[in-house]
Amino acid sequence: MSKPTYVQDYQAISEVLNKYIEGCKQAKSSIMKSAFSPQATMYTVGPDGKLTGGAIPILFEGVDKDFRPSPDATAAITRIEIVGTAASARIDANDMSGISFTDFFHLLKVGGQWTVVSKIFHTHVAP
């Protein structure tokens, strides 16, 4: 029988996702980079209705270039689901550099560490 690890895994995933949130709030990709696998990808549907995105450096470049510090922004990890070494999670963020969005992450536990391998997102229309 294997030892249950759900609580520890949940906490570890939360820590990984909080690096992403903090990097967005501070507009510094250096804070979030360790949360992502170097092979990670990021995609969304652009205003033209077409798939846009690619390798994760696109996220880092966008955060460093286009984001501004948003210390009062709010974000919540609204869901984490874990099955063995695979997990999915959702983050909802409001007024992060003037943008509100919903992120969906897929994570894998590689070498005992949780890492984001893919991110898709939806940007909400500003009120």
Side-chain angles (χ1 to χ4, degrees), residues 7-98:
V7 172
Q8 292 87 352
D9 285 333
Y10 188 97
Q11 290 170 337
I13 290 168
S14 295
E15 289 174 18
V16 167
L17 297 175
N18 279 318
K19 289 178 187 178
Y20 166 75
I21 292 169
E22 193 58 32
C24 286
K25 281 183 160 190
Q26 291 190 37
K28 292 182 181 176
S29 70
S30 59
I31 295 169
M32 68 174 66
K33 281 183 180 177
S34 67
F36 292 86
S37 164
Q39 293 84 28
T41 59
M42 175 184 79
Y43 286 95
T44 192
V45 175
D48 60 1
K50 295 184 180 179
L51 184 67
T52 183
I56 205 63
I58 294 168
L59 169 65
F60 305 145
E61 292 163 14
V63 166
D64 291 337
K65 180 180 152 199
D66 300 325
F67 275 39
R68 66 185 189 299
S70 306
D72 297 327
T74 57
I77 300 168
T78 59
R79 178 182 55 79
I80 296 176
E81 296 180 23
I82 307 165
V83 178
T85 58
S88 65
R90 174 180 170 164
I91 292 176
D92 285 287
N94 292 323
D95 200 21
M96 193 75 71
S97 193

